[in-house]
Amino acid sequence: MTKLLILGLLDEGPLSGYDIQQRVNRADAQRWGGILPGSIYHALRKLEEEQCITLVQVERTGHRQRAVYRITPRGREQLRLLILDALRDAAPCYPTTLYSGLSLLDKVPREQARAALEEQKQCLEAEYRTLEAGQRSNEGTEVSPMAQLTIAHMFAVVRLQQQFVEQLLAACAS
């Protein structure tokens, strides 16, 4: 996923690792794409070794150097393949940890199970508020139809998880 995002950003124009990291942070890609900030520099090194990107220049800013990269024709082909792979990937996201806990629910006191589910409920509410805040911060910004669909899906996934936890809490109460 990190390589896909980096190549996609570099396809728009040359960028430094820092610039990529800033764009990833602004897009909240850690939340929806699982991209960790430290993985960007590792992926840049790998992509350079694979000749998918090339170093264009090294800029000096104060005591720091910033390496600026651009995508190569090989990188554009790799980007195309990664996009198609991502579109083919039909991996539904199941809350496997929750399912595992539910399968062993009878091994903990009911009150403790309810308390743990209440904690999850609070976390899901916080996640939903974070999504709302991100959406508000992008108001006035042009958002592509695909991004709009993605954002709507993220809201739906969190809402569905919230409904499931509410059902579990109701079942634990009876």
Side-chain angles (χ1 to χ4, degrees), residues 7-152:
L7 289 172
L9 289 170
L10 290 175
D11 194 46
E12 296 173 8
L15 295 168
S16 69
Y18 177 79
D19 293 330
I20 293 168
Q21 192 171 35
Q22 292 305 304
R23 289 188 185 196
V24 164
N25 288 342
R26 276 194 306 272
D28 204 13
Q30 184 171 352
R31 177 176 311 284
W32 56 263
I35 299 191
L36 302 174
S39 67
I40 293 169
Y41 292 99
H42 175 73
L44 284 169
R45 281 191 299 278
K46 294 292 284 179
L47 287 166
E48 190 174 21
E49 288 172 11
E50 296 165 2
Q51 299 177 343
C52 291
I53 63 173
T54 187
L55 183 65
V56 176
Q57 66 185 27
V58 177
E59 299 173 348
R60 280 195 89 59
T61 54
H63 298 294
R64 292 191 168 177
Q65 291 184 336
R66 288 173 42 163
V68 177
Y69 298 93
R70 72 171 169 76
I71 194 168
T72 64
R74 182 183 211 154
R76 280 194 179 85
E77 177 59 17
Q78 183 65 21
L79 174 60
R80 185 185 70 77
L81 295 173
L82 288 170
I83 292 169
L84 293 173
D85 285 347
L87 293 174
R88 283 185 197 104
D89 185 12
C93 299
Y94 296 112
T96 54
T97 305
L98 176 59
Y99 291 170
S100 297
L102 290 172
S103 72
L104 300 167
L105 189 63
D106 61 333
K107 304 218 182 270
V108 296
R110 188 71 64 173
E111 309 80 43
Q112 289 179 351
R114 278 191 55 75
L117 288 169
E118 286 288 348
E119 284 181 42
Q120 183 174 159
K121 179 181 172 183
Q122 299 301 317
C123 289
L124 289 167
E125 288 170 2
E127 177 68 17
Y128 199 85
R129 286 192 304 273
T130 299
L131 288 172
E132 289 176 321
Q135 192 172 41
R136 279 191 304 276
S137 72
N138 286 325
E139 285 177 0
T141 305
E142 188 174 330
V143 180
S144 73
M146 290 302 150
Q148 290 174 7
L149 287 171
T150 301
I151 293 164

